[in-house]
Amino acid sequence: MAVKKQEAAVQDAAAMTEAVQENAQAEKDTEIVHLFKDGHRYSEPVFVGVNGETYLIQRGVDVEVPKAIAEVLRHSEEMDNAAAEKIAAAEAAAVQQAQRV
């Protein structure tokens, strides 16, 4: 009987150690993000989905998210910036074209 209790205690300790290690690994796989917030267009939370997991990220506060979600948010910001640059270049070209006429 004492042997069974001791074995059960060892198994419980091993399970606890494994859970702590998984939790520590999960903590390392997160990042803190801060999304811009204003009173108009950028006031609503941002929906992000990766591999079937969905998140609604609040704006204006620091939020801890998995690295995959942080990467999606970074790529989204990069694409927004690239689009803004292309729009500005197209507008400048249109102004130059209009001035020639």
Side-chain angles (χ1 to χ4, degrees), residues 15-35:
M16 291 284 283
T17 302
E18 184 177 326
V20 168
Q21 289 173 347
E22 287 176 4
N23 201 12
Q25 181 65 26
E27 288 177 10
K28 291 179 186 176
D29 291 340
T30 61
E31 290 184 24
I32 303 286
V33 297
H34 185 93
L35 300 178

Side-chain angles (χ1 to χ4, degrees), residues 34-44 58-61:
H34 185 93
L35 300 178
F36 174 75
K37 181 178 183 177
D38 66 4
H40 302 289
R41 182 174 180 210
Y42 298 102
S43 60
E44 297 296 319
Q58 186 177 1
R59 290 183 173 274
V61 295

Side-chain angles (χ1 to χ4, degrees), residues 39-58:
H40 302 289
R41 182 174 180 210
Y42 298 102
S43 60
E44 297 296 319
V46 176
F47 175 84
V48 180
V50 173
N51 293 332
E53 293 187 28
T54 59
Y55 297 85
L56 199 57
I57 312 297
Q58 186 177 1

